[in-house]
């Protein structure tokens, strides 16, 4: 009899991970920080986070439960707070979490190394295997179960975090994961005004503008939720225009599944030209408007 | 003398800078080296052949036996010289090998700057120099009298008794801060180089060389599309360096770009088989001074000396460029002069003036003087780079191509080809060239 | 006040080559400070400046990290000193084992108030060492932090989560992992680098029992989608039109 535990904070992830857990183990226990999806696990532990407390601190509540259940496998949703909870549980179990798993077969987890420069297969050697799993890995699996409810009372850790406020991030603009065209901008753009040519091109094709990580963090020219890559969004539009970005692996893994990739860079030796269908050597300030004009 | 942060600051850690720093540190001076590359050699380029005499002399004078010659990361000892005259699709090659090439003090090696400059850097560091990498000196600090007393980058100023400027070709510091004239485009050549990875044994086979030995191949003619300049190819341990050098003003007039010329060069039948199947692992472009002796600018200032390429101490002979051995020697002389001046408490132009006599009494300036006329001769002698290589090709075609049509006597076949170029003109040009050399 | 910054030293990914058999060749890659850990160092330096704290860099790795250039580089980023464990048994440790060795260092540096970590290491990017370290030290931790305000006995952090911004109060001592946007990593100046050469570096002998909880089965370069790579000068005749036509055809 094998047992798997799933820990998630969003319904979609809870459902997919439970389905995956079902394919790996006989018994599935879900710990949900959201409404549990219907019929997805044998048992569902609902954890209510008291107001002012941080979800990260749920580890104190979960450690006794984990010990009691003793699962061989723990599948966790890869969010910041869940990674924090998983790390605490792993520390307690004397193991390490294998993170951001893109494929899982016979306990061997495939993930990225150096942000995509390499692909690494790893296997846990401890009795409890813990993974955070990327969305889509278990898309083909089907969840099942009675959803028997277990109530866990909140246990506060010794030095608890105090949440003073929470402000939702308003997502503006096009959903890049669903757009047919994404124009991605990089450090070749130095100011908000310069971005206009990218916005014009995206608008003329009914697409959206994404970016590389330095443009969202540091340069702050673009919202954080629009950067594409290993630590950001993964997109697969029909057309991806990589403009003024060098084409580092950490970025390119986020758009590898795109249909047509067009690169615009003023440096003819930029690595992006080895990863595109068409490349245009030139300044984004002139090339993008010319493309927009040619397309209208 | 005024209190300063260091005795000597060296700008640039190429051949000239590293040796200057090493020599000064060996004379117990406090030395700071500021190098712009993330590591020494990061952005440097050279064709890749070092004549070792000046390096040997420095080590003999200063290393006290601490440096093992065999530990220096040379690539291959050059034991074959090959010269090719290239036509569009023909090549006539002379291959010369001599025991003299290998003799101590005369030998030359192929080098790769990334590893060789790292070694130079470590040499200077181990002699006790303070090393700063990843920062470009932006300007010089001067006192009220205009004498150089330090360097500046960002908000930081660091002072020294003497600053040795060894920042290589296209020296912005001497131009902007010391008023050196900007070289004209006909005094500058541009060099580009690509490095191809190849198995060590394959290199031995393709260059017809013994293990650890290599060939230097120089090309004239079609490689620069008939423009003044030339091509080179050097065998390294596990790679081949291939490049072109061409005068900027001439290339501007040509029917092609240097990049296109490089593409064509790689496909030339004299080159393609050697690099067949090899992956290009590095490419770079760089300036080369080619004005020669007549172009050497002022290199002694109050509180500052200029060494190596920054002082235009580089010889471009069209078919080859020689600068590293000159850089090493001038770096040494600059350091020796600076140490002496500091000890004598006079770092003014006058106190530093022996740098000039040191250079002038050495091979550095003497060799440049010997070849003084060459740059101009070369510039005027277009045919050397266009007509003659083609002509030689045609001559050999007439000698060796057998296609079943009845053959005329050799002399009858060859004469029209030579006549087209003018025999007298050819003879005159060759005479003039020999004089310049 | 005493701030520790945990940073990783690893081979520069710009110089990792893919060998013919698809394996990764690290032989040309020089050791560097993991890029996003430099932002944590800068934040530590700024906090320390504001309150007169000492900043100690702590790091664990193979003997290759005991390299004069990278140590100097780390120390030129606002650290006062450096304490490291450089031992070949510490090459490529998993997050649990890394935290165990860092714990050895932190216990030796008793009296610390805050440990800053980066957003994730450039090789593993597991975002786990910070949490594991906090667990081992029995300290609270918070990740994704974009700003830190020092208060009496605690800090107030703003953190960026997937769909919200959270403000949390954390009592000290604590472990905090920060995102790169918290502070732009400095480009060390000449004086920073010169001063770095004079700062103390201490190498500790490894005294931690290490057991791996993860086994690496294989590492290789990923198969890349092959693309046409038709690269044109934008000014070239009809280049723009050609690309525009390809875009139209793909939609
Ligand atoms: C752990 C980790 C995770 C990371 N995750 C991500 C991630 O998810 N996503 C991501 O994007 N990055 C990520 N990175 C960062 C990544 O390594 C690169 O640093 C980043 O992608 C580079 O961004 P860039 O191409 O915009 O900038 P650069 O590399 O600086 O390139 C700018 C390019 O613009 C060109 N250019 C400049 N001016 C012009 C002009 N006027 N016209 C045309 N071209 C011009 C230049 O030639 C250059 O090629 C991560 C790094 C680490 C260490
Ligand atoms: C294509 C080509 C082929 C050649 N072939 C040969 C050959 O086969 N044999 C030969 O002997 N010579 C050859 N040369 C010439 C030779 O490369 C140079 O003469 C020699 O490198 C000069 O050494 P240097 O130390 O003066 O300058 P460099 O080697 O150019 O070193 C200058 C250093 O200063 C640094 N620097 C620059 N500016 C700053 C700044 N502001 N602050 C801090 N650091 C700075 C640079 O990064 C560099 O490390 C060739 C040159 C070219 C271009
Ligand atoms: N070997 C190490 N030495 C010191 N700090 C480390 C080491 N590995 C990771 N860290 C720190 O932990 C953070 C998270 O690392 P990781 O879990 O590997 O993504 C990094 O950003 C560093 O701040």
């Amino acid at each position: 009899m094998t047992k798997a535990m799933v820990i998630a904070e969003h319904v979609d992830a809870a459902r997919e991970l439970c389905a995956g857990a079902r394919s790996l183990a006989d018994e599935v226990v879900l710990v949900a920080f959201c409404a549990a999806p219907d019929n997805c696990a044998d048992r569902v532990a609902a954890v209510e986070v008291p107001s002012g407390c941080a979800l990260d601190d749920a580890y104190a509540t979960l450690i006794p439960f984990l010990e009691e259940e003793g699962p061989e496998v723990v599948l966790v949703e890869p969010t910041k707070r869940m990674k924090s909870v998983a790390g605490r549980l792993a520390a307690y179990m004397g193991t390490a979490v294998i993170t951001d798993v893109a494929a899982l077969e016979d306990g061997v987890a495939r993930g990225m190394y150096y942000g995509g420069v390499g692909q690494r297969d790893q296997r846990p050697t401890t009795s409890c295997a813990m993974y955070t799993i990327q969305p889509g890995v278990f898309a083909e699996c089907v969840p099942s179960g009675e959803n028997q409810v277990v109530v866990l009372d909140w246990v506060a850790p010794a030095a608890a975090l105090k949440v003073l406020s929470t402000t939702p991030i308003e997502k503006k603009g096009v959903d890049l994961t669903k757009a047919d065209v994404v124009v991605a901008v990089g450090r070749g753009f130095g100011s908000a005004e310069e971005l206009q040519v990218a916005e014009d091109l995206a608008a003329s094709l009914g697409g959206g503008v994404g970016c590389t990580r330095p443009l969202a963090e540091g340069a702050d020219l673009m919202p954080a939720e629009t950067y594409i890559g290993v630590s950001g969004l993964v997109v697969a539009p029909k057309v991806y225009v990589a403009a003024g970005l060098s084409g580092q692996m950490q970025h390119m893994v986020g758009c590898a599944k795109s249909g047509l990739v067009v690169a615009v860079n003023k440096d003819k030796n930029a690595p992006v030209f080895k990863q595109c269908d068409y490349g245009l050597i030139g300044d984004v300030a002139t090339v993008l408007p010319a493309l927009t004009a040619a397309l209208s | 003398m005024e209190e300063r942060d260091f005795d000597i600051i060296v700008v640039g850690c190429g051949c000239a800078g590293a040796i200057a720093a090493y020599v000064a540190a060996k004379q117990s001076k406090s030395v700071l080296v500021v190098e712009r590359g993330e590591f020494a050699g990061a952005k440097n380029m050279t064709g890749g052949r070092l004549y070792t005499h000046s390096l040997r002399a420095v080590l003999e004078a200063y290393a006290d036996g601490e440096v093992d010659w065999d530990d220096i990361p040379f690539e291959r000892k050059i034991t074959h010289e090959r010269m090719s005259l290239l036509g569009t699709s023909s090549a006539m090659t002379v291959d010369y090998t001599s025991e003299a090439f290998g003799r101590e003090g005369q030998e030359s090696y192929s080098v790769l700057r990334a590893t060789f400059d790292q070694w130079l850097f470590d040499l200077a560091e181990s002699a006790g120099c303070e090393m700063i990498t990843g920062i470009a000196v932006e300007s010089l600090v001067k006192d009220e009298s205009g004498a150089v007393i330090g360097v500046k980058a960002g908000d930081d100023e660091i002072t020294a008794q003497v600053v040795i400027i060894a920042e290589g070709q296209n020296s912005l510091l001497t131009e902007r801060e010391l008023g050196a004239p900007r070289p004209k485009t006909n005094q500058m050549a541009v060099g580009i180089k690509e490095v191809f990875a190849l198995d060590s044994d394959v290199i031995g086979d393709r260059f017809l060389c013994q293990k650890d030995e290599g060939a230097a191949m120089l090309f004239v003619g079609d490689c620069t599309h008939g423009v003044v300049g030339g091509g080179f190819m050097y065998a390294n341990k596990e790679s081949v360096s291939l490049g072109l050098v061409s005068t900027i003003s001439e290339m501007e007039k040509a029917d092609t770009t240097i990049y296109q010329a490089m593409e064509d060069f790689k496909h030339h039948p004299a080159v393609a088989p050697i690099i067949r199947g090899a992956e290009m692992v590095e490419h770079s472009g760089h300036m080369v001074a080619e004005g020669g002796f007549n172009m050497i600018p002022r290199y002694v200032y109050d509180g500052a000396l200029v060494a190596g390429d920054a002082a235009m101490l580089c010889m471009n002979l069209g078919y080859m460029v020689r600068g590293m051995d000159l850089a090493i020697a001038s770096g040494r002389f600059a350091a020796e002069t600076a140490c002496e001046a500091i000890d004598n408490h006079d770092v003014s132009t006058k106190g530093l003036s022996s740098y000039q006599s040191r250079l002038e009494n050495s091979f550095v300036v003497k060799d440049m003087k010997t070849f003084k006329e060459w740059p101009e001769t070369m510039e005027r002698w277009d045919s050397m780079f266009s007509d003659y290589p083609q002509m030689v090709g045609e001559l050999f075609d007439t000698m060796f191509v057998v296609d079943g049509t009845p053959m005329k006597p050799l002399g009858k076949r060859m004469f029209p080809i030579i006549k087209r170029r003018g025999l007298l003109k050819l003879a005159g040009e060759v005479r003039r060239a020999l004089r310049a050399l | 006040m005493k701030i520790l910054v945990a940073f990783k030293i690893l081979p520069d990914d710009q110089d990792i080559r893919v060998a013919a058999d698809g394996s990764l060749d690290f032989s040309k890659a020089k050791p560097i400070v993991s890029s996003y850990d430099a932002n944590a160092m800068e934040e530590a330096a700024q906090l320390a400046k504001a309150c007169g704290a000492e900043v100690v860099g702590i790091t664990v790795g193979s003997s290759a990290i005991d390299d004069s250039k990278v140590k100097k580089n780390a120390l030129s980023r606002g650290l006062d000193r450096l304490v490291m464990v450089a031992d070949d048994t510490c090459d490529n440790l998993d997050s649990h084992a890394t935290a165990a060795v860092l714990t050895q260092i932190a216990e030796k540096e008793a009296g610390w108030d805050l440990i800053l970590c980066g957003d994730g290491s450039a090789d593993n990017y597991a975002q786990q060492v910070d949490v594991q370290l906090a667990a081992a030290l029995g300290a609270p931790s918070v990740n994704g932090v974009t700003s830190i305000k020092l208060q009496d006995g605690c800090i107030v952090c703003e953190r960026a989560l997937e769909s919200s911004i959270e403000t949390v109060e954390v009592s000290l001592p604590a472990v905090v992992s920060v995102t790169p946007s918290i502070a732009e990593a400095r480009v060390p100046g000449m004086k920073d680098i010169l001063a770095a050469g004079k700062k103390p570096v201490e190498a500790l002998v490894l005294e931690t029992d290490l057991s791996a909880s993860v086994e690496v089965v294989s590492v290789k370069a990923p198969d890349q989608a092959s693309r046409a790579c038709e690269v044109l000068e934008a000014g070239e005749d009809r280049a723009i039109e050609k690309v525009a036509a390809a875009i139209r055809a793909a939609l």
Side-chain angles (χ1 to χ4, degrees):
Chain A
M1 206 42 189
T2 51
K3 192 189 277 186
M5 182 179 282
V6 170
I7 309 177
E9 64 172 310
H10 296 100
V11 179
D12 292 345
R15 184 182 299 110
E16 190 184 328
L17 293 184
C18 282
R22 182 65 70 198
S23 74
L24 299 171
D26 307 316
E27 197 179 343
V28 175
V29 184
L30 168 67
V31 176
F33 297 94
C34 54
D38 292 339
N39 298 338
C40 69
D42 299 301
R43 254 153 322 114
V44 176
V47 183
E48 189 76 41
V49 182
S51 104
C53 292
L55 180 41
D56 309 60
D57 278 343
Y59 71 88
T61 308
L62 294 184
I63 283 174
F65 183 60
L66 181 71
E67 205 160 30
E68 190 184 305
E69 294 286 335
E72 286 87 6
V73 182
V74 180
L75 304 181
V76 184
E77 183 187 354
T79 61
K80 289 236 163 62
R81 296 189 286 203
M82 293 295 98
K83 277 187 175 171
S84 165
V85 169
R88 291 277 180 171
L89 298 182
Y92 183 80
M93 302 295 289
T95 189
V97 183
I98 300 181
T99 49
D100 293 313
V101 173
L104 185 62
E105 221 167 286
D106 298 332
V108 175
R110 173 156 295 179
M112 285 191 204
Y113 189 43
Y114 273 102
V117 175
Q119 174 179 289
R120 180 170 60 175
D121 287 350
Q122 299 186 100
R123 185 194 350 236
T125 55
T126 48
S127 58
C128 177
M130 299 183 68
Y131 310 93
T132 71
I133 306 279
Q134 287 188 350
V137 171
F138 296 119
E140 311 290 304
C141 301
V142 185
S144 62
E146 300 287 291
N147 279 22
Q148 213 180 81
V149 174
V150 186
V151 177
L152 300 181
D153 291 328
W154 182 257
V155 179
L161 306 178
K162 250 188 254 163
V163 175
L164 304 180
S165 70
T166 306
T167 323
I169 295 171
E170 277 176 53
K171 300 215 164 129
K172 292 181 285 243
V174 182
D175 180 351
L176 298 177
T177 59
K178 300 204 172 77
D180 277 347
V181 176
V182 173
V183 178
V185 294
R187 270 206 291 228
F189 293 82
S191 67
E193 298 79 68
E194 288 171 40
L195 288 175
Q196 193 57 47
V197 289
E199 271 148 23
D200 293 345
L201 176 62
S204 78
L205 292 166
V209 178
C211 64
T212 62
R213 188 163 172 178
L215 232 63
E217 280 178 340
D220 281 341
L221 288 178
M222 293 282 294
E225 63 276 11
T226 58
Y227 82 76
I228 292 159
V230 62
S231 49
L233 296 176
V234 175
V235 299
K238 288 182 185 154
V239 175
Y240 192 81
V241 182
L245 58 86
S246 58
Q248 301 301 318
M249 263 307 201
Q250 291 86 350
H251 178 78
M252 297 310 283
V253 295
C255 64
K257 299 220 158 66
S258 304
L260 184 80
V261 175
V262 175
V264 182
N265 198 302
K266 67 177 181 191
D267 172 7
K268 78 179 175 66
N269 295 317
V272 71
F273 285 132
K274 295 212 169 74
Q275 304 165 73
C276 66
D277 295 295
Y278 284 93
L280 288 169
I281 304 166
D283 194 315
V284 287
T286 53
V287 177
L288 295 194
L291 256 186
T292 309
L295 281 160
S296 64
Chain B
M1 285 171 100
E2 305 268 331
E3 216 20 60
R4 302 271 194 257
D5 299 327
F6 288 89
D7 291 325
I8 295 175
I9 294 176
V10 178
V11 181
C13 195
C15 298
I19 292 296
Y22 173 71
V23 167
K26 278 289 177 183
Q27 300 189 61
S28 308
K29 294 288 178 275
S30 64
V31 183
L32 170 67
V33 179
V34 186
E35 163 59 45
R36 150 187 84 169
E38 281 305 323
F39 56 91
K43 296 180 187 155
N44 296 353
M45 91 104 119
T46 194
R49 166 198 242 178
L50 175 71
Y51 292 94
T52 50
H53 59 102
S54 55
L55 178 62
R56 229 179 233 291
V58 168
L59 296 178
E60 267 161 23
Y62 293 99
D64 278 333
E66 287 161 12
V67 176
D68 191 344
W69 191 256
D70 296 331
D71 290 344
I72 305 177
F74 297 127
E75 293 294 316
R76 286 169 188 256
K77 187 187 258 187
I78 302 296
T79 55
H80 283 259
E81 300 285 345
R82 296 200 181 109
M83 284 277 290
S84 293
L85 285 179
L86 299 189
T88 325
S89 59
S90 66
M92 196 218 32
T93 302
V94 179
D95 183 357
Y96 182 69
T97 180
S98 157
E99 197 251 328
F101 290 163
R103 232 174 273 152
E104 201 174 295
Q106 302 182 356
E107 79 269 51
S108 67
Y109 291 88
S110 53
V111 293
L112 288 170
R113 292 298 292 273
T115 46
F116 186 64
D117 284 18
Q118 247 334 281
W119 178 82
L120 286 168
F121 178 97
D122 292 344
L123 184 74
E125 190 172 40
S126 65
C129 301
E130 290 258 17
M131 312 299 278
I132 289 181
T133 53
I135 292 186
V137 169
E138 288 154 11
S139 58
L140 299 174
V141 184
K142 295 180 190 157
D143 67 10
E144 324 71 61
S145 77
V148 176
I149 56 163
V151 300
K152 184 167 187 208
D155 297 330
D156 293 346
E157 287 186 1
I158 301 183
T159 57
Q161 308 292 358
V162 179
V163 175
I164 296 178
I165 298 167
E167 60 169 353
Q169 213 56 253
N170 214 355
S171 167
L172 292 177
L173 288 181
T174 54
E175 191 187 315
R176 278 200 310 238
E177 307 277 321
L178 300 172
R182 189 173 185 76
K184 300 189 198 69
T185 52
N186 71 337
Q187 294 175 313
M188 293 301 282
V190 59
I192 58 171
K193 181 177 106 167
E194 297 184 352
V195 178
F196 296 85
L198 261 186
D199 185 70
S200 165
D201 289 339
V202 175
I203 292 176
D205 293 348
R206 293 190 186 171
F207 281 83
L208 302 174
C209 289
Q210 308 271 30
K211 191 170 159 44
D212 299 332
E213 295 187 352
M217 302 180 63
L218 302 164
F219 302 87
V220 178
D222 186 67
C223 51
T224 45
H225 286 231
V227 171
V228 174
F232 58 84
M233 174 146 67
Y234 296 111
N236 304 314
K237 276 204 177 86
E238 290 181 333
S239 63
V240 173
S241 298
L242 181 74
L244 287 181
V245 179
S246 176
T247 312
I248 294 175
S249 57
E250 295 292 311
M251 208 69 208
E252 279 167 359
K253 289 183 234 152
D255 60 344
T256 179
T257 64
I258 188 148
Y259 301 104
Q260 189 52 49
M262 184 76 188
E263 281 309 307
D264 297 345
F265 186 36
K266 283 191 279 188
H267 291 103
H268 193 282
V271 172
I274 301 181
I275 56 169
R276 189 182 61 228
E279 189 198 347
M280 197 232 291
V281 289
E282 196 186 305
H283 50 77
S284 50
H286 207 282
M287 304 282 212
V288 198
E290 65 172 334
F293 178 77
N294 296 327
M295 200 176 144
I296 301 177
R298 177 175 167 193
Y299 46 68
V300 181
Y301 296 86
D302 287 331
L305 294 172
V306 190
D309 272 7
M312 306 281 181
L313 300 173
C314 181
M315 298 160 67
N316 177 10
L317 302 180
Y319 58 89
M320 68 181 263
V321 183
R322 211 184 118 191
M324 288 188 284
D325 56 331
L326 284 72
I328 288 170
S330 63
R332 170 192 180 166
F333 295 147
E336 287 173 344
T337 308
C339 292
E340 207 175 271
I342 293 169
D343 293 344
N344 293 335
H345 303 285
D346 181 5
V347 295
S348 67
T349 304
K350 192 158 156 288
L352 292 168
S353 63
S354 65
Y355 180 44
Q356 183 161 0
S357 44
R358 281 183 162 95
L359 281 175
E360 285 177 355
N361 293 328
S362 75
F363 77 92
V364 177
V365 169
K366 284 187 174 155
D367 280 5
M368 291 188 68
K369 215 174 200 160
T370 309
F371 289 95
K372 170 165 96 167
E373 307 294 337
W374 181 247
E376 279 181 46
T377 308
M378 210 166 56
E379 215 172 286
R380 274 185 273 118
W381 193 14
D382 301 353
S383 40
M384 153 103 180
F385 300 93
S386 52
D387 287 0
Y388 298 137
Q390 194 62 35
M391 176 182 84
V392 168
E394 288 170 28
L395 286 178
F396 277 79
D397 279 350
T398 56
M399 279 167 75
F400 295 112
V401 173
V402 175
D403 57 7
T405 47
M407 296 176 96
K408 288 192 205 126
L410 195 60
K412 278 209 180 129
R413 278 183 279 151
M414 288 172 87
F415 191 66
I417 298 174
I418 300 175
K419 199 171 144 207
R420 240 182 291 142
R421 267 85 183 187
L423 251 186
L424 279 178
K425 182 166 172 262
L426 174 65
E429 282 173 342
V430 170
R431 214 177 311 118
R432 216 173 314 126
L434 286 176
R435 216 177 319 122
L437 285 169
Chain C
M1 190 174 172
K2 183 160 158 186
I3 303 175
L4 309 186
V5 192
F7 69 99
K8 189 166 190 174
I9 296 174
L10 37 65
D12 187 350
D13 66 336
Q14 298 291 316
D15 298 316
I16 298 174
R17 300 258 157 83
V18 177
D21 64 354
S23 65
L24 300 185
D25 173 7
F26 290 86
S27 61
K28 295 248 158 39
K30 299 196 166 37
I32 56 162
V33 172
S34 183
S35 51
Y36 291 156
D37 292 352
N39 302 83
M41 290 175 170
E42 185 58 35
E43 175 65 7
Q46 288 179 16
L47 287 174
K49 203 166 161 202
C51 70
E54 181 188 25
V55 183
V56 185
I58 65 174
T59 185
V60 178
S62 73
S63 58
I65 72 167
D66 195 355
D67 167 280
S68 64
K69 292 194 186 77
V70 73
K71 285 190 290 193
K72 204 160 146 186
N73 180 283
L75 286 165
S76 67
R77 298 173 177 279
L79 310 181
D80 294 309
R81 56 195 175 86
L82 179 59
V83 186
M84 66 194 325
V85 171
D87 187 307
D88 283 337
T89 52
C90 296
D91 197 17
N92 287 322
L93 296 180
D94 60 51
S95 53
H96 185 68
T98 305
V101 187
L102 289 174
T103 302
Q104 180 198 324
I105 304 178
E107 281 170 353
K108 198 226 136 226
E109 288 295 328
W112 56 270
D113 302 278
L114 179 62
I115 300 181
L116 289 190
C117 290
D119 184 53
S121 54
D123 53 354
N124 295 332
Y125 200 68
Q127 305 184 303
Q128 286 293 302
V129 169
D130 45 334
V131 195
Q132 290 257 7
L133 180 59
L137 293 166
S141 69
V142 55
N143 59 11
V145 169
T146 53
S147 88
I148 299 175
K149 280 200 203 77
L150 289 171
Q151 295 191 344
D152 205 20
C154 69
I155 48 175
V156 172
C157 301
E158 206 157 88
R159 66 196 297 221
L161 298 169
E162 288 72 19
S163 50
S164 60
I165 308 286
E166 204 173 64
T167 313
V168 283
E169 186 185 296
V170 192
S171 59
L172 296 179
V175 179
V176 171
S177 114
V178 301
T179 72
S181 58
I182 196 159
E184 198 178 331
R186 77 177 65 178
V187 179
M190 292 194 291
K191 296 215 159 130
D192 289 325
I193 298 174
L194 279 178
K198 302 187 176 69
K199 291 178 180 172
V201 179
E202 197 179 345
L204 302 184
V205 175
L206 177 68
E207 280 165 0
T208 314
D209 284 332
L210 296 178
S211 63
S213 24
V214 173
E215 172 200 351
V216 175
V217 179
S218 74
V219 176
K220 62 178 182 62
D223 299 327
Q224 292 234 26
S226 71
R227 297 200 176 264
C229 299
E230 184 161 350
V231 180
L232 312 163
E233 289 281 351
E236 217 171 276
D237 221 18
R238 309 210 50 79
I240 299 274
E241 286 75 6
K242 196 165 176 183
V243 174
I247 291 177
R248 249 185 246 112
L251 286 173

